[in-house]
């Protein structure tokens, strides 16, 4: 079933779109199954779980950290992740800069934006974006590669609204010059809404359920 899902999606999307297989809660075996089909970009949202998988799986995997990142856990990611999608504060930026500098590494980051202004969600408010970007300009060990959001649950029209707001921010940042900032990736779209996201300019989608099937949190976390 995983192989049918994977090939179906690969056929539906352009070669210019990065497909991240979101492997959180999945067993090593399931991840290996997709790996064997050619997938090399995987997404995890918990540091501990990521480290375990990182150590058991092939080293040519590009790991995406897509969950909320606590400052005290940054040190575990240095040198192991390809892209962190969840930069959401200056405080976190300072810790990333410090830990990556210690190991003489450069962190590739996306700024996560709380585009729906949801209280329960992480991500920076649009109003705080400018200050965060200014703080990025004086760093030496980070590169901002784009922006990311998870949008509020809603109908197609509401999805379109939030995706296009993100696209506007992306395009604006693309035309302005900031040191350490280049807009390469617009990380938008999950299993239920990735087609709408792609229609609205996304070039990086994060899919879990549509590849691996529905997640069963009780089974894996209990
Ligand atoms: C879990 C998760 C996904 C994937 O969600 P699906 O609905 O399973 O496709 C994408 N992005 C983030 C940030 C996630 O936490």
């Amino acid at each position: 079933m995983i192989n049918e899902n994977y090939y179906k999606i690969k056929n539906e999307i352009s070669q210019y779109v990065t497909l991240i297989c979101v492997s959180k809660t999945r067993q090593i075996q399931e991840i290996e199954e997709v790996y064997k089909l050619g997938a090399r970009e995987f997404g995890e949202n918990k540091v501990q779980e990521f480290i375990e998988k990182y150590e058991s799986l092939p080293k040519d995997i590009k790991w995406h950290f897509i969950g909320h990142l606590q400052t005290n856990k940054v040190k575990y990611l240095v040198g192991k992740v390809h892209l962190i999608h969840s930069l959401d504060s200056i405080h976190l930026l300072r810790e990333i800069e410090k830990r990556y500098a210690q190991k003489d590494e450069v962190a590739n980051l996306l700024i996560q934006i709380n585009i729906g202004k949801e209280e329960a969600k992480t991500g920076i408010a649009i109003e705080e974006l400018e200050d965060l970007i200014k703080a990025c300009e004086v760093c030496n060990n980070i590169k901002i590669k784009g922006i990311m959001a998870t949008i509020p649950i809603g109908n197609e029209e509401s999805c379109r609204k939030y995706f296009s707001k993100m696209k506007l921010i992306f395009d604006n940042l693309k035309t302005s010059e900031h040191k350490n900032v280049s807009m390469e990736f617009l990380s938008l779209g999950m299993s239920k809404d990735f087609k709408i996201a792609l229609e609205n300019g996304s070039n990086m989608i994060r899919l879990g359920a549509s590849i691996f099937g529905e997640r069963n949190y009780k089974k894996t976390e209990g």
Side-chain angles (χ1 to χ4, degrees):
M1 193 177 83
I2 287 181
N3 60 357
E4 277 172 31
N5 293 343
Y6 179 75
Y7 286 131
K8 184 167 176 280
I9 288 159
K10 283 298 271 186
N11 274 325
E12 281 170 359
I13 63 175
S14 140
Q15 57 170 313
Y16 304 108
V17 170
T18 303
L19 166 62
I20 300 171
C21 302
V22 176
S23 50
K24 65 188 187 195
T25 78
R26 311 295 175 174
Q27 307 296 320
I28 297 289
Q29 233 178 329
E30 293 171 279
I31 303 171
E32 280 170 343
E33 211 175 320
V34 195
Y35 178 89
K36 281 182 194 139
L37 305 175
R40 290 297 179 271
E41 317 231 7
F42 291 88
E44 287 288 333
N45 69 341
K46 299 228 157 58
V47 172
Q48 180 65 37
E49 186 179 339
F50 158 67
I51 296 295
E52 287 167 16
K53 289 173 175 171
Y54 174 84
E55 280 164 4
S56 344
L57 285 156
K59 288 293 172 282
D60 64 341
I61 288 179
K62 292 176 177 170
W63 290 102
H64 294 257
F65 192 81
I66 61 174
H68 179 59
L69 181 54
Q70 290 168 279
T71 48
N72 62 346
K73 299 206 169 145
V74 170
K75 55 180 179 282
Y76 302 115
L77 299 185
V78 182
K80 297 191 169 79
V81 285
H82 176 67
L83 187 62
I84 297 172
H85 290 228
S86 45
L87 174 64
D88 64 355
S89 69
I90 293 178
H91 180 60
L92 178 60
L93 174 73
R94 299 239 155 93
E95 178 68 11
I96 294 174
E97 168 76 359
K98 180 177 119 190
R99 294 290 177 177
Y100 275 72
Q102 283 171 353
K103 296 266 170 78
D104 203 19
E105 295 262 2
V106 174
N108 292 316
L109 308 170
L110 302 183
I111 297 173
Q112 184 179 357
I113 298 174
N114 186 351
I115 196 71
K117 301 188 161 97
E118 293 173 283
E119 261 180 48
K121 268 201 190 151
T122 52
I124 198 161
I126 302 172
E127 297 75 31
E128 295 164 29
L129 188 57
E130 206 181 307
D131 284 346
L132 178 61
I133 286 180
K134 276 186 194 145
C136 291
E137 291 195 285
V138 296
C139 288
N140 295 308
N141 294 75
I142 65 107
K143 295 278 181 226
I144 302 295
K145 298 282 182 179
I147 56 175
M148 177 271 213
T150 61
I151 64 166
I153 294 167
N155 59 19
E156 188 172 328
E157 190 193 335
S158 128
C159 290
R160 269 183 209 291
K161 183 182 88 181
Y162 291 114
F163 288 145
S164 56
K165 276 189 181 178
M166 285 292 289
K167 179 69 160 69
L168 262 181
I169 298 171
F170 184 78
D171 288 341
N172 279 334
L173 285 173
K174 206 169 191 168
T175 54
S176 59
E177 290 258 330
H178 297 284
K179 190 173 168 255
N180 297 327
V181 179
S182 63
M183 285 296 116
E184 293 167 42
F185 300 114
L186 180 55
S187 171
L188 290 178
M190 305 176 23
S191 291
K192 292 205 168 75
D193 57 19
F194 74 91
K195 286 179 194 159
I196 308 170
L198 292 173
E199 285 165 12
N200 288 275
S202 165
N203 61 8
M204 183 171 258
I205 55 178
R206 312 177 307 265
L207 307 186
S210 57
I211 294 170
F212 294 99
E214 290 300 326
R215 273 180 300 280
N216 184 346
Y217 281 104
K218 274 190 196 121
K219 196 172 78 189
T220 49
E221 293 185 345

